[in-house]
């Protein structure tokens, strides 16, 4: 079964064709990063205009002759950006007479780990971390998602982006910080880690962000050491809670997903801490950040299933 995926929830205009939820036949991503670097963040109106300009040129590159269905990101995301994808999908569905499957963006990130893979064994514990969301999810089967932890304030990617801004490292912050951290000492600054209650799988990064801001405002700090110490604090908490969850729910597999899963230190610490369990992160970097192949995969595995979308994200706005 071939599914056309469409993703326009934030700042990537992406389309893809995926067969049987894992074989990526075509994957087109128009990134708006250069545009948003000028403002060190996404301006919704600017993103929306760019999606309108790019969605047709992106679709024109695909072979849509024998697709069976269309999967589209319905939310959460920027409403003015989402509209381009959903209107395009509905229109194409009408013209091609194909069903349109609405997909939750976070489910999309989760299914990025099914791309170019044969078999995944349940139960899976997934840490899905990006700019807009930050959840620990227990998955006992397709469409059986339980949110076991989430952020009480900022998402990890959001913290990376804001700290990069404080350190004047550019946008997006995640890759910039991990690059600066390579030449820094992660033990130089003793930054706070919010463990919360002993058994809690929730996260909080606002205290860490404020601690960095105070040191930056006080002046006389080393950028690389600060980037390394900040990255260490975030990845320490993320990987520790992920391994605790894997242990508690006796996960067969442990996955990282979302933009922050591209982070090398997070991958390293997670692998180290989860022991013998199968460890995966998306096969390619472009499957970590926003893309449409993951949306097509989610559409394939979740079609006809009754999924309670709103339970998955604390920040769902639809
Ligand atoms: O999944 P994504 O493309 O968009 C959202 O759904 O939010 O994730 C983007 C986020 C940004 O906050 C970016 O700074 C972060 O992922 N990111 C990283 C890395 N690459 C991207 N964070 C840490 N280390 C990285 N290497
Ligand atoms: Zn995303």
């Amino acid at each position: 079964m071939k599914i056309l995926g469409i993703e326009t929830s934030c700042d990537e205009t992406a389309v893809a064709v995926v067969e049987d939820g894992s074989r990526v036949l075509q994957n087109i991503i128009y990134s708006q990063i250069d545009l948003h670097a000028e403002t060190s963040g996404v301006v919704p109106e600017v993103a929306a205009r760019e999606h309108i300009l790019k969605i047709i040129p992106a679709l024109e590159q695909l072979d849509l002759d024998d697709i069976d269905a269309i999967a589209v990101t319905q939310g959460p995301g920027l409403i003015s950006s989402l509209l381009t994808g959903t209107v395009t999908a509905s229109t194409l569905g009408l013209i091609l007479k194909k069903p349109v499957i609405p997909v939750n963006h976070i489910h999309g990130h989760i299914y990025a780990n099914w791309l170019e893979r044969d078999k995944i064994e349940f139960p899976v514990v997934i840490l899905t971390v990006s700019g807009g969301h930050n959840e620990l999810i227990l998955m006992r089967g397709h469409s059986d998602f339980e949110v076991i932890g989430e952020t009480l304030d900022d998402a990890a990617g959001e913290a990376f982006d804001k700290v990069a801004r404080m350190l004047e490292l550019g946008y997006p912050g995640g890759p910039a910080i991990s690059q600066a951290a390579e030449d820094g000492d992660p033990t130089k600054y003793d930054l706070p880690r919010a463990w919360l209650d002993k058994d809690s799988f929730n996260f909080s990064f606002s205290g860490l962000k404020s601690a960095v801001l105070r040191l930056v405002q006080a002046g006389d700090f080393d950028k690389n050491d600060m980037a390394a110490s900040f990255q260490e604090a975030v990845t320490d908490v993320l990987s520790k809670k992920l391994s605790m969850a894997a242990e508690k729910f006796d996960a067969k597999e442990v996955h990282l997903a979302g933009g922050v899963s591209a982070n090398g230190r997070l991958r390293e610490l997670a692998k180290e801490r989860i022991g013998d369990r199968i460890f995966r992160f998306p096969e390619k970097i472009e499957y970590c950040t926003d893309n449409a192949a993951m949306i097509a995969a989610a559409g394939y595995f979740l079609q006809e299933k009754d999924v309670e979308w709103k339970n998955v994200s604390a920040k769902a706005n639809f």
Side-chain angles (χ1 to χ4, degrees):
M1 180 183 211
K2 285 187 192 167
I3 297 192
L4 159 66
I6 300 180
E7 154 64 40
T8 64
S9 69
C10 186
D11 59 346
E12 263 95 23
T13 314
V15 297
V17 179
V18 176
E19 191 170 30
D20 296 339
S22 72
R23 215 161 81 84
V24 182
L25 303 179
Q26 285 181 286
N27 189 34
I28 311 288
I29 304 169
Y30 283 132
S31 169
Q32 302 177 1
I33 280 180
D34 292 346
L35 195 65
H36 301 307
E38 291 168 23
T39 44
S40 299
V42 179
V43 177
E45 170 72 16
V46 175
R49 283 168 184 260
E50 197 63 13
H51 285 307
I52 293 167
L53 291 174
K54 293 290 160 58
I55 191 74
I56 301 295
L59 282 168
E60 277 173 347
Q61 295 184 52
L62 299 183
D63 177 5
L64 299 179
D65 283 348
D66 50 358
I67 59 154
D68 300 286
I70 301 164
V72 61
T73 306
Q74 190 187 33
L78 300 171
I79 192 69
S80 48
S81 287
L82 289 162
L83 270 173
T84 297
T86 49
V87 170
T88 304
S90 318
T91 312
L92 267 180
L94 273 173
I95 296 169
L96 303 174
K97 296 189 173 51
K98 301 292 175 196
V100 177
I101 309 162
V103 171
N104 176 296
H105 183 74
I106 297 157
H107 292 169
H109 276 297
I110 290 169
Y111 276 98
N113 275 307
W114 269 255
L115 295 173
E116 297 179 21
R117 301 253 162 79
D118 284 342
K119 184 152 175 43
I120 303 283
E121 290 189 63
F122 295 108
V124 187
V125 166
I126 305 133
L127 174 70
T128 171
V129 262
S130 79
H133 57 85
N134 193 127
E135 280 97 22
L136 253 179
I137 290 171
L138 170 65
M139 211 177 152
R140 293 195 179 88
H142 293 297
S143 76
D144 182 354
F145 303 95
E146 187 186 335
V147 180
I148 53 176
E150 61 195 358
T151 182
L152 304 180
D153 38 61
D154 290 355
E158 195 177 349
F160 268 96
D161 293 338
K162 286 180 180 161
V163 167
R165 212 161 159 169
M166 292 174 205
L167 301 179
E168 295 172 352
L169 287 171
Y171 172 86
I177 288 196
S178 56
Q179 204 185 349
E182 277 177 29
D183 301 317
D185 173 4
T187 61
K188 176 76 178 285
Y189 300 103
D190 187 18
L191 296 172
R193 276 114 165 111
W195 299 110
L196 307 172
D197 292 340
K198 194 171 132 286
D199 298 322
S200 171
F201 293 124
N202 286 334
F203 303 92
S204 166
F205 297 109
S206 63
L208 169 62
K209 209 178 57 189
S210 306
V212 174
L213 183 63
R214 273 196 299 276
L215 289 168
V216 168
Q217 283 172 340
D220 192 26
F221 65 93
D222 181 274
K223 253 189 208 189
N224 294 337
D225 292 341
M226 188 67 82
S229 303
F230 165 78
Q231 177 176 264
E232 197 63 19
V234 174
T235 55
D236 185 18
V237 174
L238 290 175
S239 59
K240 183 79 188 139
K241 294 203 178 221
L242 175 64
S243 65
M244 274 164 52
E247 179 89 32
K248 177 168 177 185
F249 297 101
D250 199 14
K252 280 246 166 51
E253 300 203 7
V254 179
H255 296 181
L256 297 178
V260 184
S261 69
N263 186 277
R265 184 61 181 147
L266 176 61
R267 291 175 175 187
E268 198 172 73
L269 275 177
K271 178 152 183 49
E272 209 174 283
R273 289 176 167 174
I274 61 155
D276 293 338
R277 297 176 210 279
I278 297 169
F279 176 57
R280 298 183 204 267
F281 45 81
E283 193 67 35
K284 294 182 177 163
I285 287 280
E286 64 256 40
Y287 302 156
C288 294
T289 45
D290 290 350
N291 67 88
M294 68 184 195
I295 302 300
Y300 175 80
F301 288 107
L302 301 178
Q303 57 181 323
E304 298 170 347
K305 305 270 169 57
D306 182 22
V307 175
E308 183 53 77
W309 314 105
K310 292 189 188 72
N311 279 347
V312 173
S313 172
K315 297 197 171 177
N317 57 358
F318 70 102

